[in-house]
Amino acid sequence: MTISIQLARLPHGDGLPVPAYATPGAAGMDIQSAEDVTIPPGGRHAVATGFRVAIPDGYEIQVRPRSGLAFKHGVTVPNTPGTIDSDYRGELKVLLINHGPEDFVIERGMRVAQIVPAAVTQASFVEVEELDETERGAGGFGSTGTK
Ligand SMILES: O=c1ccn([C@H]2C[C@H](O)[C@@H](COP(=O)(O)OP(=O)(O)OP(=O)(O)O)O2)c(=O)[nH]1
Ligand SMILES: [Mg+2]
């Protein structure tokens, strides 16, 4: 399934390509940094992408890490999956954290994360006095064992 998402470029995004799928079966579109920035070990940065989007009602965009950056450099998205709301009109930013031992040098145009559009189900809560009983009950956080 393919949905259409409007994309408006910001001045500092000029010249960067519109995000696209690298292969026909790709789930995510890589997105590129619109800035040069270095993230020191333990540091975080909201990386500029140079564009804004208008996602159709009923959808979101999820921002996910690239496994190569996580594996090779310890660089990941701390809020993964980042949530881009359909009514957000600011610049899409990629939050990155450097868990690695070395400076992570980002050059403009580097692919720093991937985005995945997803359908959203909204809910409304109904407050009640009692909930039904289940086998699990209040057990959680490893209550079923480790094997
Ligand atoms: O990785 C991200 C996550 C969020 N956003 C933008 C789009 C999103 O719609 C907005 C708010 O994100 P979120 O709801 O996750 O952050 P919050 O801390 O709850 O902020 P707010 O009070 O603005 O909702 O920030 C990004 O650009 N990149
Ligand atoms: Mg929020």
Side-chain angles (χ1 to χ4, degrees), residues 9 11 14 20 40 64 75 79 86 92 94-95 104-106 109 115-116 129 134-135:
R9 211 172 277 292
D14 274 352
R64 302 187 191 174
V75 170
N79 59 323
S86 64
L92 195 154
V94 173
L95 307 189
F104 185 63
V105 179
I106 297 172
I115 53 175
V116 177
E129 294 296 323
T134 67
E135 184 177 322

Side-chain angles (χ1 to χ4, degrees), residues 83-134:
T83 304
I84 311 300
D85 300 287
S86 64
D87 54 359
Y88 177 67
R89 295 293 177 271
E91 180 174 13
L92 195 154
K93 297 215 171 167
V94 173
L95 307 189
L96 290 181
I97 184 163
N98 181 3
H99 290 301
E102 291 167 359
D103 280 357
F104 185 63
V105 179
I106 297 172
E107 291 176 357
R108 191 173 191 272
M110 179 188 272
R111 291 173 293 149
V112 290
Q114 55 188 323
I115 53 175
V116 177
V120 169
T121 303
Q122 287 191 330
S124 60
F125 284 103
V126 179
E127 202 166 343
V128 296
E129 294 296 323
E130 292 294 337
L131 301 175
D132 66 327
E133 294 193 1
T134 67

Side-chain angles (χ1 to χ4, degrees), residues 1 3-8 17-23 25-33 47-56 59-67 69 77 79-85 88 91-96 110-119:
M1 177 181 165
I3 61 166
S4 174
I5 299 175
Q6 294 180 346
L7 179 149
V18 170
Y21 294 102
T23 62
M29 285 185 254
D30 289 337
I31 41 176
Q32 300 182 354
S33 173
V47 181
T49 63
F51 66 87
R52 305 183 301 132
V53 291
I55 304 166
Y59 293 90
E60 62 165 329
I61 285 178
Q62 298 181 355
V63 183
R64 302 187 191 174
R66 292 189 69 207
S67 62
L69 298 183
V77 174
N79 59 323
T80 190
T83 304
I84 311 300
D85 300 287
Y88 177 67
E91 180 174 13
L92 195 154
K93 297 215 171 167
V94 173
L95 307 189
L96 290 181
M110 179 188 272
R111 291 173 293 149
V112 290
Q114 55 188 323
I115 53 175
V116 177

